[in-house]
Amino acid sequence: MEHHDHETQSPDKKTSIKSTKKFWRSPQERENDPEWQKLVEREFQASPFFEGDVKESWNRRDFMKLMGASLALGSTACIRRPVQTIIPYVNRPVEVTPGIANYYASTWSEGTEGFGLLVKTREGRPIKLEGNPDHPVNAGALSARAQAQVLNLYDPERLDGPRKYNPEDPNPFRHEQHPSWAQADQEILPKLKEGGVALLTNSISSPSTKAVIGDFATVTGATHYVWDPIGYDDVASAQKAAYGTAVVPRYVLDRAKIIVSIDADFLGSFLSPTEFNRQYAAVRKPGKDMAKIVTFESVYTLTGANSDARVRIKPSQQLDVVMGLVHQISVLSGKGGGAPAYANAAQKLNIEPGLFNEIAKDLWENRGRGVVIAGGLTTRTEQGEAVHAAVNFLNSLLGNDGVSVDHGTAAFKFINGSHANLATLIEKMQAGQVKTLIIHGVNPVYQAAGGSGFEEALKKVALVLYTGDRADETGKFAKFILPDHHHLENWGDSEIQENVFSIQQPTIRPLYNTRAFQDTLLVWTAGYKGKGEKPLTWFNYLKDNWKKNRFHGAGGFDHAWVQLLKLGVLDLSSQAREKVSTPRNFSGAALKVPSPRASEGLELVLFESVLQGDGRSANNSWLQEMPDPVTKVSWGNPLLVSPGLAKKMELTNGSIVQVTVNKQSVKTPIFIQPGLHDEVVALAVGYGRTAAGEVGNGVGLNGFELASFNKGKPVFSGIQVQIENTGQFETVASMQEHTNIEGRQIVVEASLADYLKKPDAGIEKTEVFSIWNDHKYTGYRWGMAIDLNSCTGCSACIVACQAENNIPVVGKRYVIQGREMHWLRVDRYYSGDVNSPRGTFQPLPCQHCENAPCETVCPVAATNHSSEGLNDMVYNRCVGTRYCSNNCPYKVRRFNWFNYANKIPEPKNLQLNPDVTVRTRGVMEKCTFCIQRITTAKNDAKDRGDEVKDGEIKTACQQTCPTNAIMFGNINDAKSEVRQWQGDPRAFALLEELNVRPSVRYLTKVKNAKVEGTEGGHV
Amino acid sequence: MPGKTAKILLALVVLVLIGGVASMATGPIGYNDGYEPKQPIPFSHRLHAGDNKIPCLYCHVAAEKSIHATVPALNICMNCHKVVKTDSPWIKKLTAAYENNTVIEWKKVHMLPDFVRFNHRRHVRREVACQTCHGPVETMDVIHQEAPLSMGWCVNCHRKPENHAPINCSTCHY
């Protein structure tokens, strides 16, 4: 077998692995950079920091002395175990049996994406979130952000009750007071009566909350301003201009055979990514009917990575793309003269005219069965309005309106926030017309774009009330912070898409003395009226609202209410979402397209990252440690530059540059991201917080400040920028070069054409023979299959695994050293055009090998093969030699270098899953195929008296996957789905040539495009 | 060899021999068989389970439903003791706790290390009698740990082919 000999390796020696690779994880790997070679050789890296950096270092001699003394003392100490107490309930609630989890249906929406939840609780506290399979929007899946929300509940930095500050004092916290709710209300009510009350919130999906706000506004005369930091008002206003009503449409991707995205990251962050992921998977099954996805984008996103054709553009070229397509399609349709000014769009964009015409032709031939989408921060350029108008025109011209652009049956009607509203509010604040401002659900001091003037205007408001859970950037300016419950502690409801209602119920008694925002408003409404009437509690108000408005039918309200709490969802749309609606008339006046202009100079794009969003969960350590699905960078948002630009300016990963926008300069490290245009630099928003908490403070750079508010027409993209290499350096915590696997065939891509000819196209089969006898499995044999074609890289599985298995967070410093603890990782491989590569994502759990190389080398037999095909990890036997990890070819084993569990602050320990051991220092850990779930299911099956049914066990990663890319089950069962997947001609085993016999199979990725060298490609 | 070295060696050998004999005599360290902690209320299993023949699962409700057997909640005790022997000072203490909503802190007798996951429900449903592992509880006035509860002791039963019990590491350690 060809062998890559490390010892004699030198950069100029010819190696057996080709230097131009077919799949590569970073530009350095592609060019066989010697630094990269060094990283590949060493699994356990030395600290990149010098001695002096380490503050808590032990002097070696002292350490040895202390250890020696402790050993001596310990051996003479008492050997009785410490006394433990058992504290039973006084009155055990009937539904709680210690040791058995209870699931409650609930709902959650962050800004604009909403989910139906099933909250897993143990002994009265939520420990894991899962999707509600009955909710039509997310259908049982959760995104990475949603999975991480359970940790926010236990954030130790949440305020434990109302606070009162003196914002005029330069140190507003100096005389911090802890009033009771009654005291706070007593002080606030007279101020409300003085009038000039304004309420600023995000788009509210809860109809009952909207009713409460409505009552409050009617009684107090307050004005309600709705603003979303990352909103879709540009989409809504373009819809209004074109069709008459401002609505954010629901894009139904599974009705499309061709999807063209113009800077809309629908798989990553745009609008409703979890739903889009599911629809994507539905239309991407390899076959003649496979949909085609084309992306024109200025950032490298998940959508671009998973597209069949991806073109890198500058934000100022978005209009050229759309108008170019408009022109081509007008020509093809024979209707009208098109837009001759944009006839040469392809040349201008540096695309082969052939490709561009092909896309136009595909769109035209699939009219009524395609969709063009644009949206997100990346389309908020100065010409954004024209771009959206043109996209609407295209969709109408192609007959997509009403089919894949759903405007009426289940659109996102609740999204009604706009920057114009915020601009109006700021104006009123500046003019002194706002005496009391209540801020809920948004953090405008941090999230409003640069130059909005919100902070200055805020100082002119006499009374600022904030319902956030801590004194964050906006909280610092508040006189009173009136912390709202966490959504897991509160009642509520939701109408994420029209006529699809879901209920939110508390799953834990509020941990602190917080009060529901709705209760606060209800108390103030009643108090304002001054008639001494007792306000309804929010719970009763909610029930009444449902009684009045939803449950008209027979059967009695109480029964219906209980059913609603059980199921969590009430779909009153009568399957409307399955129907198409009539297309609307496009108002020609909307299409006022400026003439094409040249795009000169470097442009900055601010984009919404998959994990952080608008930055509200910056203090969530899981989200910070998660590698960004595309860049694989954690704990920060470096400025992304293209390899070409980096070479030109002599930048490497971590070079600090000075970024100047509008005479404002900031410094930030860079990261090289293939796929960017050479005149584009990109920065994610949601970082750079200053008052989020210990975890989130100071991580990254605040991108919101680089945007310009422009009096309510913000510009987030296509911003003129200059960058300068400062010559300084800051290590970027990038995970993409950790855990490098070397081998012949790691990911396999095939073109659709090749797949149709031969289903196993692209797979190089290796003949292996074994000197070992096979294990015999008479009962269950657990195995897994992962469909690379469905996996979009969203990384929800990683957070789900972290939540389920008590995986610790190590922090930036140790991530840099390669010590991240994620049991499951998603490797991202680029392929194709170096300037605009495709991306293939490969989730890598422990492969539970039959001939596991880790099992044979453990000196203490801490890892053994079970009788059901699993590779067991026994933490109590492990002594930490790390030989197993050394031997693992997939590098899926993680070592506990420190006692991470000791660092878990209360009450975060309440989130820990009691079914999974919390590991201490010095033991190895790895993916267990969720053995705790397997054991529970086997026990349930034994109690029933039969076998575990197929699909009864879902590993945490499988359960949350929006595209159902992961399939787990019993491969000894001939009828199980995992057996079908493993038997699929597209299935291959990773690193098959090593004869480790993994229990996991991967299914090749099929691209609806030409893929060079499909046959027998080497990595 | 010189006399002094020989004497030291002899002393060492004697120490090792004594140590060895001593450890064999006292049995392996770390097992708690015989542990009989004093409980906050001197609940007598001999009276309740023995004389009154109350079934184990009447109080230890979760033993056949969950991994934990659970010590009964106070409301189970009060089922009878609302009327039974209410003049006893201990029952008065129990009732006071129930009425004031304060807990009784029992001392755990059968302690397994944290890395062992024992599943009561599985064993109860396999009709392993409680006394098999807990000893003759119905004769105990004060509960003590009868069996060593060591891994070897568990495996000895699991190993017997007629018991059809799994012996994977991950059966108990995961």
Side-chain angles (χ1 to χ4, degrees):
Chain A
M1 187 171 107
E2 292 169 324
H3 178 64
H4 187 173
D5 192 2
H6 290 286
E7 273 79 293
T8 57
Q9 176 59 40
S10 76
D12 49 7
K13 238 198 184 142
K14 211 166 176 206
T15 66
S16 52
I17 295 182
K18 293 204 208 107
S19 57
T20 45
K21 296 188 169 175
K22 183 166 180 243
F23 293 99
W24 64 95
R25 289 163 66 170
S26 63
Q28 291 81 355
E29 175 175 350
R30 188 167 190 279
E31 280 139 40
N32 273 326
D33 186 88
E35 284 298 312
W36 173 82
Q37 289 284 11
K38 276 202 244 157
L39 266 177
V40 171
E41 293 166 22
R42 301 206 57 175
E43 180 185 353
F44 300 116
Q45 300 169 40
S47 171
F49 299 95
F50 295 111
E51 285 276 337
D53 287 354
V54 180
K55 291 193 182 73
E56 346 78 63
S57 60
W58 274 95
N59 177 299
R60 204 140 162 204
R61 286 231 175 102
D62 290 336
F63 181 76
M64 290 307 290
K65 281 189 212 151
L66 186 60
M67 286 297 106
S70 321
L71 182 65
L73 273 174
S75 53
T76 59
C78 178
I79 53 174
R80 168 83 68 198
R81 295 193 188 123
V83 173
Q84 287 182 28
T85 50
I86 301 182
I87 304 182
Y89 284 99
V90 174
N91 248 317
R92 183 173 69 90
V94 173
E95 71 271 8
V96 178
T97 304
I100 298 186
N102 284 335
Y103 289 82
Y104 295 96
S106 187
T107 188
W108 174 66
S109 68
E110 176 199 49
T112 52
E113 191 174 15
F115 302 89
L117 300 178
L118 278 184
V119 184
K120 176 179 181 186
T121 65
R122 274 289 292 268
E123 287 95 44
R125 58 185 197 283
I127 57 172
K128 175 93 175 26
L129 300 181
E130 300 189 350
N132 184 347
D134 293 324
H135 199 291
V137 175
N138 60 314
L142 284 185
S143 67
R145 256 188 251 171
Q147 280 286 350
Q149 290 308 305
V150 69
L151 196 67
N152 282 348
L153 168 66
Y154 302 112
D155 191 338
E157 291 171 271
R158 283 176 68 193
L159 288 176
D160 61 6
R163 293 284 185 276
K164 181 175 172 194
Y165 303 109
N166 182 3
E168 274 142 50
D169 189 328
N171 176 4
F173 305 116
R174 197 200 311 264
H175 300 292
E176 175 180 297
Q177 291 173 43
H178 296 212
S180 70
W181 285 104
Q183 288 167 334
D185 291 334
Q186 222 176 27
E187 267 196 66
I188 293 170
L189 265 169
K191 294 280 161 59
L192 290 177
K193 296 215 168 119
E194 286 175 21
V197 182
L199 173 61
L200 175 65
T201 70
N202 54 348
S203 291
I204 299 202
S205 66
S206 160
S208 303
T209 307
K210 280 200 273 233
V212 170
I213 293 177
D215 287 349
F216 176 75
T218 315
V219 165
T220 61
T223 324
H224 181 198
Y225 296 90
V226 186
W227 165 70
D228 296 310
I230 296 179
Y232 299 104
D233 43 318
D234 51 347
V235 173
S237 56
Q239 290 276 324
K240 177 151 193 200
Y243 303 110
T245 348
V247 67
V248 177
R250 176 179 70 111
Y251 296 98
V252 192
L253 301 185
D254 51 10
R255 291 182 189 157
K257 279 213 73 187
I258 171 141
I259 304 168
V260 174
S261 161
I262 295 149
D263 254 328
D265 182 16
F266 58 84
L267 292 180
S269 57
F270 173 69
L271 195 57
S272 187
T274 311
E275 191 184 8
F276 291 144
N277 267 289
R278 187 179 73 254
Q279 293 170 344
Y280 161 93
V283 293
R284 295 287 288 177
K285 299 268 175 287
K288 281 199 293 5
D289 291 326
M290 187 171 172
K292 189 162 187 172
I293 305 187
V294 179
T295 307
F296 296 86
E297 59 181 14
S298 48
V299 189
Y300 194 82
T301 64
L302 287 184
T303 310
N306 287 296
S307 304
D308 298 307
R310 177 191 179 268
V311 179
R312 57 176 189 164
I313 59 171
K314 293 171 75 166
S316 54
Q317 293 172 333
Q318 288 163 0
L319 192 58
D320 293 297
V321 172
V322 197
M323 290 312 297
L325 286 173
V326 165
H327 176 77
Q328 291 294 331
I329 291 174
S330 303
V331 165
L332 283 168
S333 73
K335 288 189 197 152
Y342 290 92
N344 64 339
Q347 279 102 306
K348 191 170 171 219
L349 296 167
N350 235 332
I351 317 172
E352 289 172 37
L355 172 66
F356 201 72
N357 291 344
E358 201 187 306
I359 296 168
K361 200 161 98 122
D362 271 331
L363 276 171
W364 178 245
E365 285 178 356
N366 287 297
R367 54 191 180 284
R369 285 186 317 230
V371 69
V372 182
I373 316 180
L377 287 184
T378 39
T379 52
R380 282 193 188 260
T381 61
E382 284 180 7
Q383 296 175 301
E385 224 178 284
V387 171
H388 281 292
V391 167
N392 287 336
F393 176 69
L394 253 185
N395 277 324
S396 281
L397 183 61
L398 292 167
N400 298 331
D401 194 60
V403 181
S404 53
V405 182
D406 169 21
H407 54 87
T409 65
F412 291 94
K413 288 246 167 81
F414 82 91
I415 302 180
N416 60 344
S418 80
H419 292 266
N421 287 345
L422 184 66
T424 314
L425 174 62
I426 294 175
E427 240 181 75
K428 293 239 157 73
M429 281 158 61
Q430 277 288 359
Q433 290 170 9
V434 177
K435 296 215 182 70
T436 304
L437 177 62
I438 308 165
I439 306 177
H440 167 77
V442 286
N443 184 353
V445 173
Y446 166 69
Q447 292 163 337
S452 66
F454 188 86
E455 205 178 303
E456 295 72 47
L458 199 55
K459 295 184 183 138
K460 295 214 167 115
V461 176
L463 180 64
V464 179
L465 307 171
Y466 188 55
T467 63
D469 63 356
R470 70 198 67 206
D472 56 21
E473 292 86 351
T474 302
K476 283 205 289 241
F477 289 88
K479 180 105 186 259
F480 284 92
I481 300 189
L482 308 163
D484 189 9
H485 290 325
H486 186 268
H487 69 92
L488 290 171
E489 298 170 333
N490 200 6
W491 287 97
D493 56 6
S494 188
E495 188 185 2
I496 298 159
Q497 285 172 355
E498 211 187 348
N499 284 321
V500 176
F501 297 96
S502 42
I503 195 76
Q504 176 183 322
Q505 57 179 320
T507 50
I508 185 171
R509 179 182 287 172
L511 293 174
Y512 307 111
N513 183 20
T514 50
R515 182 170 73 178
F517 168 63
Q518 297 89 341
D519 268 322
T520 301
L521 287 186
L522 284 167
V523 165
W524 290 346
T525 310
Y528 193 97
K529 286 195 226 162
K531 295 203 195 101
E533 65 181 59
K534 227 171 152 257
L536 273 180
T537 58
W538 164 229
F539 172 53
N540 285 324
Y541 187 99
L542 177 73
K543 270 176 92 165
D544 274 355
N545 196 31
W546 274 81
K547 203 167 182 175
K548 261 192 305 190
N549 293 322
R550 312 280 162 236
F551 291 135
H552 308 298
F557 172 73
D558 291 318
H559 171 78
W561 177 253
V562 169
Q563 284 299 103
L564 177 66
L565 291 180
K566 250 173 73 168
L567 296 172
V569 185
L570 183 67
D571 189 343
L572 289 178
S573 67
S574 29
Q575 313 294 311
R577 57 194 298 113
E578 309 298 323
K579 309 190 184 112
V580 302
S581 35
T582 41
R584 299 167 286 181
N585 286 324
F586 184 86
S587 151
L591 198 59
K592 293 187 285 284
V593 175
S595 38
R597 50 179 221 192
S599 5
E600 294 283 329
L602 198 57
E603 292 180 18
L604 171 67
V605 185
L606 298 167
F607 65 97
E608 179 185 359
S609 76
V610 175
L611 299 171
Q612 289 298 333
D614 59 11
R616 64 182 70 192
S617 294
N619 208 39
N620 186 317
S621 50
W622 290 348
L623 287 176
Q624 289 288 7
E625 177 128 320
M626 273 285 295
D628 179 270
V630 172
T631 63
K632 300 297 174 213
V633 169
S634 67
W635 294 103
N637 63 335
L639 185 72
L640 304 175
V641 305
S642 76
L645 180 60
K647 203 159 176 185
K648 195 170 105 181
M649 297 187 60
E650 292 180 358
L651 299 169
T652 58
N653 280 340
S655 295
I656 299 185
V657 296
Q658 180 161 288
V659 177
T660 311
V661 170
N662 268 340
K663 304 202 184 66
Q664 211 197 341
S665 283
V666 283
K667 290 212 181 114
T668 177
I670 67 118
F671 191 74
I672 299 176
Q673 175 59 49
L676 287 183
H677 192 285
D678 287 334
E679 286 182 354
V680 169
V681 291
L683 186 77
V685 297
Y687 291 83
R689 288 196 61 178
T690 53
E694 264 183 30
V695 174
N697 282 352
V699 176
L701 178 69
N702 185 357
F704 286 113
E705 279 177 359
L706 297 177
S708 51
F709 187 67
N710 240 356
K711 295 210 187 79
K713 286 185 192 271
V715 174
F716 280 91
S717 176
I719 303 170
Q720 295 292 320
V721 67
Q722 287 95 38
I723 64 174
E724 227 179 84
N725 188 352
T726 62
Q728 290 164 334
F729 190 78
E730 180 189 310
T731 321
V732 169
S734 152
M735 290 194 199
Q736 71 185 1
E737 281 158 347
H738 302 162
T739 58
N740 276 301
I741 317 180
E742 288 189 290
R744 288 159 70 138
Q745 177 172 262
I746 300 182
V747 286
V748 178
E749 255 186 346
S751 70
L752 180 61
D754 287 330
Y755 167 78
L756 289 172
K757 277 193 241 139
K758 205 160 84 80
D760 62 353
I763 299 178
E764 197 189 298
K765 295 207 182 12
T766 322
E767 179 114 1
V768 285
F769 71 92
S770 184
I771 60 175
W772 304 101
N773 283 326
D774 283 343
H775 296 274
K776 299 261 177 295
Y777 298 106
T778 49
Y780 300 111
R781 183 180 166 190
W782 306 114
M784 189 184 263
I786 300 179
D787 189 350
L788 295 181
N789 196 42
S790 298
C791 176
T792 55
C794 75
S795 306
C797 50
I798 305 183
V799 190
C801 176
Q802 186 152 30
E804 170 81 12
N805 293 300
N806 304 335
I807 295 177
V809 165
V810 303
K812 183 171 182 179
R813 177 179 151 172
Y814 294 109
V815 167
I816 292 175
Q817 252 183 286
R819 293 180 174 182
E820 64 272 11
M821 296 301 289
H822 298 123
W823 287 4
L824 171 68
R825 65 172 193 271
V826 177
D827 290 334
R828 177 262 302 120
Y829 293 90
Y830 296 119
S831 60
D833 178 4
V834 177
N835 289 319
S836 185
R838 295 184 296 273
T840 306
F841 297 90
Q842 183 178 52
L844 214 79
C846 168
Q847 306 281 299
H848 292 270
C849 310
E850 292 295 291
N851 288 344
C854 57
E855 287 168 12
T856 47
V857 296
C858 179
V860 294
T863 180
N864 302 303
H865 218 71
S866 86
S867 61
E868 294 182 348
L870 294 178
N871 176 274
D872 288 340
M873 183 66 216
V874 185
Y875 306 116
N876 42 303
R877 273 191 88 92
C878 177
V879 290
T881 47
R882 306 188 291 282
Y883 197 163
C884 53
S885 176
N886 192 22
N887 232 22
C888 175
Y890 308 102
K891 295 288 175 262
V892 287
R893 284 176 159 270
R894 315 306 309 156
F895 185 68
N896 283 280
W897 293 95
F898 297 105
N899 223 336
Y900 300 118
N902 272 357
K903 297 249 177 209
I904 299 177
E906 290 208 7
K908 270 193 190 167
N909 58 315
L910 295 179
Q911 185 280 328
L912 296 172
N913 185 352
D915 285 333
V916 177
T917 306
V918 176
R919 285 77 59 188
T920 185
R921 160 190 54 224
V923 300
M924 268 297 182
E925 58 185 54
K926 65 172 186 71
C927 161
T928 56
F929 271 178
C930 278
I931 178 128
Q932 65 279 7
R933 292 181 177 218
I934 296 174
T935 306
T936 310
K938 274 166 61 186
N939 270 306
D940 288 339
K942 281 192 191 161
D943 288 345
R944 284 197 309 260
D946 68 28
E947 303 275 299
V948 172
K949 297 201 191 346
D950 185 36
E952 196 179 333
I953 304 176
K954 288 212 164 112
T955 54
C957 50
Q958 174 188 9
Q959 196 286 324
T960 199
C961 180
T963 57
N964 286 325
I966 302 180
M967 180 55 62
F968 175 81
N970 179 9
I971 49 186
N972 259 357
D973 174 3
K975 290 201 237 74
S976 69
E977 202 165 339
V978 67
R979 176 89 168 251
Q980 312 309 318
W981 285 38
Q982 288 202 350
D984 193 305
R986 275 166 57 217
F988 67 96
L990 187 56
L991 301 184
E992 189 178 36
E993 64 271 17
L994 300 177
N995 193 30
V996 293
R997 305 268 182 98
S999 304
V1000 177
R1001 292 287 179 277
Y1002 289 92
L1003 304 182
T1004 59
K1005 183 155 197 172
V1006 178
K1007 287 287 194 187
N1008 198 346
K1010 273 211 291 271
V1011 171
E1012 39 317 297
T1014 293
E1015 296 302 313
H1018 277 261
V1019 168
Chain B
M1 66 183 89
K4 198 150 174 214
T5 323
K7 281 210 193 95
I8 293 172
L9 263 175
L10 181 64
L12 272 172
V13 168
V14 170
L15 268 174
V16 168
L17 280 172
I18 295 177
V21 171
S23 77
M24 303 215 76
T26 57
I29 60 171
Y31 298 124
N32 276 356
D33 38 332
Y35 182 48
E36 194 177 301
K38 183 155 178 288
Q39 301 290 351
I41 294 180
F43 175 81
S44 165
H45 275 88
R46 184 189 53 74
L47 176 60
H48 292 78
D51 297 344
N52 291 332
K53 295 199 176 45
I54 302 176
C56 311
L57 288 175
Y58 178 83
C59 297
H60 296 281
V61 176
E64 62 170 353
K65 295 195 209 134
S66 153
I67 50 180
H68 303 300
T70 69
V71 166
L74 284 189
N75 58 333
I76 297 183
C77 308
M78 296 312 289
N79 274 343
C80 293
H81 283 289
K82 262 205 337 216
V83 293
V84 172
K85 207 171 176 188
T86 48
D87 51 337
S88 150
W90 297 114
I91 304 301
K92 288 211 174 87
K93 179 174 174 184
L94 186 74
T95 316
Y98 182 71
E99 255 138 47
N100 292 334
N101 229 10
T102 55
V103 295
I104 305 277
E105 296 189 16
W106 303 95
K107 302 273 184 296
K108 188 164 181 176
V109 180
H110 301 87
M111 286 190 272
L112 284 176
D114 286 345
F115 48 78
V116 180
R117 295 179 173 274
F118 177 74
N119 188 339
H120 265 99
R121 162 179 161 207
R122 193 82 265 123
H123 291 78
V124 169
R125 301 233 185 178
R126 284 290 260 121
E127 288 165 24
V128 177
C130 309
Q131 287 83 346
T132 314
C133 307
H134 292 287
V137 172
E138 68 276 13
T139 62
M140 296 182 192
D141 261 314
V142 184
I143 288 286
H144 66 269
Q145 182 176 317
E146 179 80 13
L149 302 184
S150 63
M151 178 170 165
W153 175 84
C154 293
V155 174
N156 277 337
C157 184
H158 272 242
R159 247 187 211 152
K160 297 202 187 111
E162 63 267 22
N163 289 338
H164 301 290
I167 49 169
N168 294 318
C169 298
S170 56
T171 306
C172 310
H173 300 292
Y174 59 85

